Amino acid sequence: MERVLKDDAIDEKGERARMASFVGAMAIADLVKTTLGPKGMDKILQSTGRGRSVTVTNDGATILKSLHIDSPAAKVLVDISKVQDDEVGDGTTSVVVLAGELLREAEKLVNMKIHPMTIIAGFRMAADCARNALLQRTMDNKENTDKFRADLMNIAMTTLSSKILSQDKEYFAELAVDAVLRLKGSTNLEAIQILKKPGGSLRDSFLDEGFILDKKIGIGQPKRIENAKILVANTAMDTDKVKIYGARVRVDSMSKVADIEAAEKQKMREKVQKIIAHGINCFVNRQLIYNFPEELFADVGILAIEHADFEGIERLALVTGGEIASTFDNPESVKLGHCKVIEEIMIGEDRLIHFSGVKMGQACSIVLRGASEHVLDEAERSLHDALCVLSQTVNDTRVLFGGGWPEMVMAKEVDELARKTPGKKSHAIDAFSRALQAIPTTIADNAGLDSAELISQLRAEHHKENCTAGIDVITGSVGDMQKLGIQESFKVKQAILLSATEAAEMILRVDEIITCAPRRREDRM
């Protein structure tokens, strides 16, 4: 028999291939499972590169992004967590855990000799049924401003309760809700800037309207400017030297060197004159500004800020309503930025520049304080998740209760569907219902509670009409989610359900894994 593949290529077929993909995907799900819920644990990720940087996190997407994975099925789960992070910002762990549980159930069905396509058809019916069950139970308070703000507060607190900020979740929920409501329905989080400054405790963090740039004001320059006209530029202001590499200039006397230097200074002076001609009183440059041009700016009372970080300058241009310029020959085509006051402020030990009354009224800065860089990084990730979910909720205002309530509602409906469905599909629908219950089970297990006891109590509660029962991890019992104010965004739950089902379906369809032979290096002898 002729070999089709190269010698070192690996080809796994049928059962073996399916087992390999199931095992890889379930291993990834088990890895992040322990981080789920308010009592979830953190992981330390250590890089093997230079500097051996350390990250401490319990954010599913961050953990999975940092792993180098060989299993193709596991990569599918890493991808869905990334997409969940980009789309709605939260639920990155839940989506992987649900997909892993669906595959665990599917594996049992495959062993019972049920064809994967039958399982997929059952899963699809179950996912539709579960989504409809949620749609009927959503609450929407967009007409009532006070109630809607309370919903947003609850969603923010639920999101933050599984993160490092859980101790001060009310405080940070306020910050996040205030910041998102300023956006007036936009999902562009560019206007919210998060600054991290080590020192102080997390409680010292605050929200500041306007924009804060992490730079000092130069020497001999105005410390405060009102009604600022800002030119945001990306141009070289350090041409005090001949910058033609490989060019050699020979002169026959020292006076000629002085002439060259004078010519360069004149060139710089002309450039500065062009910039001043724009009628500005603040010049922000992404590159360095040398002493001579800085001196020229200071003489005419223009505040010059050099080396503004790249993200900072893009955001500054957006927030002040200007555009980044790099040529200054025709001032009328350059769009200047505007703000009411520019002044220097102190945060901890550092001096920063504060732009207030900016053109884009919804812009604000959140300054995070904390004990160390690791704490601040994790606080930023947590806050970013909350901001993403809130900005999505402002657009799609439907909310649900949290704490395992949605999963139990879906599981109950899917169970009833399984009883009505004839044929082998009913086994798959039943399996889907069991997989949904794995999320409240995991939340209870991570909090060190008796999950079997709690889930059976929850199931009994959910057979009553209009039940709002979920897991209360603080008291370790079944609690009323409405009284506790534990709420989640419908958009997040829907994304978790649909992404996990599609990922499980994709892995179930696999019946062969072909690994290509590595490319050989030729011997260069």
Side-chain angles (χ1 to χ4, degrees):
M1 171 102 176
E2 281 292 312
R3 276 188 69 89
V4 179
L5 302 173
K6 280 191 174 179
D7 285 349
D8 291 349
I10 306 163
D11 180 15
E12 293 184 3
K13 284 189 165 65
E15 284 300 304
R16 283 196 58 179
R18 202 166 284 129
M19 281 308 297
S21 25
F22 283 162
V23 168
M26 288 192 287
I28 283 291
D30 288 343
L31 178 79
V32 293
K33 208 180 204 175
T34 52
T35 67
L36 189 69
K39 297 284 179 85
M41 304 305 264
D42 289 10
K43 310 267 180 219
I44 291 184
L45 310 169
Q46 188 173 9
S47 79
T48 50
R50 280 173 58 197
R52 301 221 155 211
S53 62
V54 172
T55 311
V56 185
T57 182
N58 75 350
D59 178 38
T62 309
I63 295 167
L64 295 178
K65 235 185 290 185
S66 315
L67 301 177
H68 293 286
I69 293 169
D70 210 22
S71 158
K75 281 183 181 157
V76 172
L77 293 198
V78 173
D79 277 352
I80 59 167
S81 90
K82 273 187 194 159
V83 170
Q84 180 79 11
D85 196 33
D86 296 342
E87 275 291 299
V88 283
D90 196 20
T92 46
T93 311
S94 312
V95 71
V96 176
V97 171
L98 182 57
E101 287 302 326
L102 286 170
L103 289 169
R104 189 160 300 178
E105 294 295 336
E107 184 190 9
K108 294 175 194 163
L109 298 176
V110 171
N111 292 341
M112 286 162 58
K113 299 286 180 277
I114 296 177
H115 193 273
M117 284 303 157
T118 314
I119 301 174
I120 287 171
F123 276 4
R124 283 200 169 166
M125 287 169 67
D128 280 349
C129 169
R131 184 168 171 269
N132 291 336
L134 280 190
L135 274 170
Q136 289 161 13
R137 305 287 185 89
T138 58
M139 298 166 290
D140 196 341
N141 289 326
K142 69 171 171 229
E143 307 306 326
N144 184 333
T145 324
D146 295 345
K147 274 190 177 172
F148 183 52
R149 191 188 159 86
D151 281 353
L152 288 178
M153 279 293 294
N154 287 339
I155 288 175
M157 288 198 286
T158 306
T159 303
L160 294 173
S161 62
S162 60
K163 312 261 193 274
I164 193 170
L165 303 175
S166 57
Q167 303 306 318
D168 302 315
K169 62 184 177 191
E170 277 136 26
Y171 183 70
F172 282 98
E174 276 281 350
L175 284 191
V177 171
D178 286 343
V180 168
L181 287 178
R182 289 179 74 96
L183 293 180
K184 300 184 177 62
S186 148
T187 50
N188 179 13
L189 295 178
E190 283 285 301
I192 300 174
Q193 179 202 19
I194 299 180
L195 263 182
K196 298 177 290 191
K197 286 281 162 207
S201 70
L202 283 169
R203 272 310 285 240
D204 298 339
S205 309
F206 61 91
L207 176 85
D208 199 316
E209 71 94 22
F211 183 85
I212 298 174
L213 192 64
D214 199 351
K215 283 280 148 214
K216 293 187 180 74
I217 288 180
I219 296 164
Q221 298 190 346
K223 298 283 183 204
R224 178 186 170 91
I225 288 181
E226 294 188 5
N227 294 330
K229 294 188 184 69
I230 306 162
L231 176 60
V232 185
N234 183 8
T235 184
M237 299 296 283
D238 52 358
T239 40
D240 296 8
K241 301 180 180 63
V242 175
K243 271 217 172 164
I244 309 167
Y245 296 109
R248 295 170 77 177
V249 182
R250 282 199 177 160
V251 288
D252 47 17
S253 72
M254 279 306 287
S255 60
K256 295 277 173 65
V257 177
D259 290 348
I260 292 174
E261 285 187 348
E264 283 171 353
K265 268 196 160 173
Q266 186 53 35
K267 190 174 148 208
M268 192 75 231
R269 185 177 273 118
E270 281 165 14
K271 186 171 189 177
V272 172
Q273 291 312 117
K274 280 183 187 170
I275 292 172
I276 294 172
H278 287 69
I280 55 170
N281 50 13
C282 174
F283 176 67
V284 184
N285 191 18
R286 197 190 154 239
Q287 300 180 36
L288 288 170
I289 301 177
Y290 271 21
N291 294 3
F292 177 60
E294 193 169 56
E295 205 177 294
L296 295 176
F297 283 127
D299 287 347
V300 289
I302 290 180
L303 165 62
I305 303 166
E306 63 172 2
H307 226 234
D309 56 328
F310 195 68
E311 260 195 357
I313 197 163
E314 296 240 316
R315 196 182 271 136
L316 184 65
L318 169 91
V319 164
T320 55
E323 279 172 9
I324 299 177
S326 49
T327 55
F328 312 103
D329 290 330
N330 30 349
E332 61 282 347
S333 64
V334 176
K335 197 173 169 196
L336 298 179
H338 296 276
C339 82
K340 285 188 185 134
V341 181
I342 302 178
E343 59 192 343
E344 196 171 52
I345 56 168
M346 291 280 291
I347 296 178
E349 301 296 305
D350 299 343
R351 290 165 185 265
L352 300 103
I353 305 173
H354 183 234
F355 296 75
S356 52
V358 288
K359 184 88 176 279
M360 190 177 184
Q362 55 261 51
C364 58
S365 298
I366 295 176
V367 179
L368 289 177
R369 308 299 309 277
S372 71
E373 288 289 348
H374 296 142
V375 173
L376 285 175
D377 288 345
E378 178 63 355
E380 183 189 20
R381 280 189 288 271
S382 313
L383 200 59
H384 183 260
D385 279 5
L387 291 171
C388 284
V389 176
L390 290 173
S391 69
Q392 295 290 345
T393 313
V394 170
N395 280 354
D396 183 344
T397 51
R398 292 171 292 182
V399 293
L400 298 159
F401 294 118
W405 177 87
E407 285 78 15
M408 296 310 290
V409 167
M410 294 191 276
K412 181 186 166 212
E413 292 291 326
V414 172
D415 248 349
E416 283 173 13
L417 176 70
R419 291 204 194 95
K420 294 175 200 161
T421 311
K424 287 184 176 173
K425 276 187 205 160
S426 64
H427 291 296
I429 298 173
D430 206 26
F432 196 94
S433 159
R434 284 198 297 277
L436 282 170
Q437 290 175 23
I439 287 189
T441 308
T442 309
I443 292 174
D445 283 341
N446 288 350
L449 307 172
D450 181 353
S451 59
E453 172 71 18
L454 272 175
I455 299 302
S456 55
Q457 282 178 16
L458 257 186
R459 208 181 296 123
E461 283 289 327
H462 273 264
H463 275 284
K464 298 172 186 166
E465 279 298 303
N466 298 331
C467 165
T468 55
I471 294 177
D472 178 2
V473 285
I474 310 300
T475 61
S477 59
V478 172
D480 184 346
M481 297 292 111
Q482 196 166 7
K483 279 185 195 150
L484 292 169
I486 297 175
Q487 288 179 320
E488 290 183 54
S489 166
F490 168 72
K491 198 164 182 182
V492 174
K493 275 289 168 229
Q494 175 175 290
I496 290 172
L497 178 72
L498 301 181
S499 303
T501 313
E502 281 173 14
E505 193 178 304
M506 192 171 171
I507 294 169
L508 258 175
R509 284 175 182 273
V510 173
D511 76 331
E512 190 164 355
I513 299 175
I514 302 165
T515 313
C516 300
R519 206 174 88 211
R520 293 234 174 97
R521 287 186 175 175
E522 294 97 21
D523 293 327
R524 298 269 167 95
M525 296 299 286

